Amino acid sequence: MASGKEIRTKIKSVQNTQKITRAMEMVAASKMRKAQERMRAARPYGEKIRNVAAHLSHAHPEYKHAFLVQRESARRVGVIVVTSDKGLCGGLNTNVTRMVLGQMKSWESAGLGVDACALGGKGFGFLQRMGGSVLSHATGLGDAPHLEKLIGPVKVMLDAYMDGRLDELYLGYTRFINTMKQEPVLEKILPLSGAELGSAKGHWDYIYEPDAKSVIDELMMRYIEALVYQAVAENMASEQSARMVAMKAASDNAGNVIDELKLIYNKTRQAAITKELSEIVAGAAAV
Amino acid sequence: MAMTIHVDVVSAEQSIFSGVAEFIAAPAAAGEVGIYPRHAPFISRMKPGTVRVKIPDQAEEELFFVSGGILEVQPQVVTILADTALRGKDLDEAKALEAKQRAEEAMKDRSATMDYAKAEAELAEAVAQIRAIQKIRKQSGR
């Protein structure tokens, strides 16, 4: 049995770990609130731009944007993987990467090439380890999503799509359901399905300034960016709540370990006292 | 009561304004446009500048700075999808001036790593920001 001092140092070290996990839990809790607010704040833009895109797809049948055209056969697919930059958030990143990996394998077995775009350090590291072809990436996204950081990497994928180097584009991220529940999703974002934008009613057209093509091009670009932005915002909210839950579990586990160690410590202490006592009694009896 | 039109000003990061208005002026691609209720359907890119919204029963116009985006007009609804739109009052004049200086310096020094087109865009944005601040100042009589 370990000596009293050994157990004491062990308890001390577990207590220190518990302090850290508890602090991280509280930090994650406060960040989570902000991340959730941000996620909700980003929703109106997504809704509005979807409405405008829907109007536009009905109003102007002559020019059909490449994003709306369904291609006959896909040869190469792109996937944007949204993950967190930091770890210690439970199975959050593993769940997304596992799902993406499964999908990538089935694409590859179907003879499709896969190009990836990594948003977030963990996903980037994963894709590199897997030896996947990463066209673009953005890491160090911080606590708040910034569109400026996302535009570049997403544009690389969209350009590849426009050039015909990619025929489909998917977006994998963790959807925030509530504090306790987040689920990994892989959504097809390109080509946009017409059904998603609603059905036509009546015939009318806009006055375009400067011209229809450039306005529609720009709007479609923004629509995809808004989708990606929303995904990143959701992922960040998921990350913080997953971290909060993971750190809470870690703190609780540390508490259990401390209780067990304290019990052992007290037992050894008592055993030592009993031993000493019996030695004294035996010694006194011998006299 | 005068006719009104519903206006939504949203940026990717937040919803900035939502409500009814009598008149809206926005910096469209080919110059500023004024929109009254029942305007014909219209869609345009926006340049950096100020969006002015005249709200009924309010003497002062609401001002919003936009650094670009998309303007959509339907007879009853105006949607402004701003790239970055902050409340005019929140703008920091010093910051705008500093950004302008930086952009001008970068334009003079073309050999610098900064892209010429990027510098030009930054300059246009800074100028628009300064103009928005000055407009607000004039309105509030400071």
Side-chain angles (χ1 to χ4, degrees):
Chain A
M1 199 173 257
S3 79
K5 186 159 171 15
E6 262 173 43
I7 298 172
R8 260 206 316 268
T9 36
K10 206 164 190 181
I11 290 177
K12 195 82 200 150
S13 95
V14 177
Q15 272 172 342
N16 286 338
T17 311
Q18 194 189 26
K19 270 183 208 157
I20 293 167
T21 54
R22 195 165 280 157
M24 285 182 79
E25 180 195 333
M26 283 189 280
V27 170
S30 84
K31 279 188 179 169
M32 180 189 74
R33 216 163 301 133
K34 278 189 211 139
Q36 280 183 29
E37 272 164 29
R38 255 181 242 117
M39 181 185 77
R40 286 198 190 96
R43 274 186 188 150
Y45 186 82
E47 278 165 26
K48 290 287 179 296
I49 203 160
R50 181 185 291 253
N51 285 346
V52 176
H55 290 158
L56 208 50
S57 66
H58 307 150
H60 201 77
E62 291 97 77
Y63 173 65
K64 224 169 161 59
H65 194 270
F67 289 177
L68 288 162
V69 179
Q70 304 283 335
R71 296 187 186 170
E72 275 167 23
S73 64
R75 281 161 293 126
R76 216 169 163 78
V77 293
V79 58
I80 299 176
V81 186
V82 185
T83 54
S84 69
D85 278 318
K86 292 174 194 152
L88 292 178
C89 46
L92 185 89
N93 293 318
T94 332
N95 288 342
V96 178
T97 47
R98 194 191 294 137
M99 194 181 57
V100 170
L101 186 67
Q103 192 64 47
M104 274 164 110
K105 279 202 178 123
S106 71
W107 280 326
E108 267 158 19
S109 60
L112 300 172
V114 182
D115 285 319
C117 163
L119 301 177
K122 289 284 166 186
F124 183 51
F126 163 77
L127 288 167
Q128 272 188 326
R129 272 199 309 282
M130 297 312 299
S133 107
V134 182
L135 289 188
S136 60
H137 70 100
T139 55
L141 298 175
D143 289 332
H146 289 292
L147 204 52
E148 299 99 71
K149 280 191 184 153
L150 306 177
I151 287 174
V154 172
K155 191 167 161 37
V156 171
M157 298 306 273
L158 295 183
D159 286 348
Y161 183 84
M162 294 294 274
D163 294 349
R165 277 178 284 132
L166 294 175
D167 300 306
E168 281 176 354
L169 190 59
Y170 288 80
L171 177 64
Y173 65 100
T174 308
R175 179 179 285 151
F176 181 87
I177 295 168
N178 56 41
T179 314
M180 299 304 291
K181 193 165 159 50
Q182 299 89 34
E183 70 175 14
V185 284
L186 190 66
E187 284 172 352
K188 186 177 180 179
I189 53 174
L190 285 180
L192 291 166
S193 60
E196 200 179 315
L197 296 173
S199 58
K201 51 175 192 285
H203 185 83
W204 51 277
D205 202 355
Y206 284 108
I207 304 167
Y208 295 92
E209 202 176 280
D211 59 274
K213 189 178 173 299
S214 66
V215 174
I216 294 174
D217 283 354
E218 197 152 319
L219 186 88
M220 284 302 167
M221 203 76 141
R222 258 168 228 187
Y223 181 51
I224 300 301
E225 280 165 10
L227 286 179
V228 175
Y229 180 88
Q230 181 72 33
V232 172
E234 289 226 7
N235 197 70
M236 281 178 177
S238 304
E239 178 196 346
Q240 296 303 344
S241 39
R243 178 165 301 133
M244 190 186 80
V245 172
M247 286 302 117
K248 188 168 170 43
S251 305
D252 292 350
N253 286 343
N256 290 343
V257 170
I258 289 170
D259 285 348
E260 270 169 38
L261 284 175
K262 270 194 179 150
L263 199 66
I264 295 171
Y265 173 70
N266 285 336
K267 269 186 188 160
T268 45
R269 194 172 59 97
Q270 246 170 358
I273 291 166
T274 316
K275 198 176 138 207
E276 253 173 60
L277 260 179
S278 63
E279 272 166 12
I280 291 166
V281 171
V287 172
Chain B
M1 204 184 111
M3 274 200 302
T4 54
I5 186 165
H6 190 85
V7 191
D8 287 304
V9 184
V10 289
S11 79
E13 273 143 40
Q14 59 186 322
S15 169
I16 291 148
F17 176 83
S18 178
V20 290
E22 285 175 350
F23 171 75
I24 301 113
E32 192 170 58
V33 288
I35 300 145
Y36 281 103
R38 296 204 196 156
H39 193 286
F42 172 74
I43 191 162
S44 168
R45 284 209 316 250
M46 283 193 298
K47 290 190 295 193
T50 4
V51 174
R52 291 182 285 134
V53 180
K54 172 80 184 79
I55 296 162
D57 308 322
Q58 191 178 317
E60 255 186 37
E61 284 176 332
E62 287 276 339
L63 296 179
F64 306 99
F65 168 74
V66 290
S67 63
I70 304 232
L71 165 74
E72 192 225 13
V73 181
Q74 294 270 351
Q76 304 300 334
V77 188
V78 175
T79 311
I80 292 169
L81 301 164
D83 283 351
T84 315
L86 300 163
R87 290 297 297 256
K89 283 162 196 157
D90 294 342
L91 287 179
D92 187 344
E93 187 164 16
K95 221 187 230 169
L97 278 171
E98 190 197 318
K100 187 181 165 186
Q101 261 172 8
R102 220 175 28 227
E104 269 171 354
E105 270 165 31
M107 263 171 54
K108 263 184 237 151
D109 183 16
R110 291 230 205 157
S111 59
T113 49
M114 203 172 178
D115 190 1
Y116 180 70
K118 194 179 160 200
E120 205 174 54
E122 267 182 23
L123 179 64
E125 208 183 303
V127 168
Q129 270 184 3
I130 293 164
R131 209 173 294 139
I133 295 164
Q134 280 164 352
K135 242 183 230 171
I136 293 163
R137 285 265 165 85
K138 219 183 283 166
Q139 236 178 32
S140 58
R142 268 191 290 160

